[in-house]
């Protein structure tokens, strides 16, 4: 479900700031469905189209604080 994908993504983003979809799927052990992952990412993260983190996702600032507080 998208709620499962979302919680998995938050867990992974608590470990690292920038991720590609491929890396997220590998880190999740293949638990993440690519289509649903991209859908959820569009809601909770920003995609970098250029620069140092080109083609990577970064949590939106309103979620970063939530992830930090959730992980202590």
């Amino acid at each position: 479900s998208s709620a499962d994908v979302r919680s998995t993504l938050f867990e992974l983003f608590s470990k690292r700031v920038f991720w590609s979809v491929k890396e997220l799927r590998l880190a999740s052990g293949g638990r993440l469905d690519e289509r649903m992952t991209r859908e959820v990412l569009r809601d909770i993260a920003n995609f970098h189209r250029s620069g140092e983190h080109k083609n990577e996702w970064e949590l939106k600032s309103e979620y970063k604080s939530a992830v930090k507080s959730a992980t202590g």
Side-chain angles (χ1 to χ4, degrees):
S1 74
S2 66
D4 293 339
V5 169
R6 184 180 274 242
S7 67
T8 301
L9 290 174
F10 281 142
E11 193 184 311
L12 291 168
F13 274 107
S14 74
K15 298 178 174 123
R16 225 171 86 191
V17 179
F18 300 100
W19 291 88
S20 68
V21 171
K22 185 180 176 184
E23 289 170 328
L24 285 165
R25 293 188 65 222
L26 282 171
S28 75
R31 282 181 308 183
L32 294 173
D33 169 70
E34 184 167 344
R35 193 179 56 80
M36 180 136 2
T37 298
R38 287 181 186 278
E39 233 168 79
V40 174
L41 282 170
R42 278 196 286 274
D43 286 342
I44 66 169
N46 295 311
F47 185 68
H48 292 269
R49 294 184 189 286
S50 61
E52 191 184 342
H53 297 287
K54 186 177 180 174
N55 299 328
E56 292 183 325
W57 293 87
E58 176 183 11
L59 274 188
K60 291 179 180 172
S61 50
E62 63 261 35
Y63 295 109
K64 279 185 184 175
S65 55
V67 164
K68 279 197 191 93
S69 62
T71 57

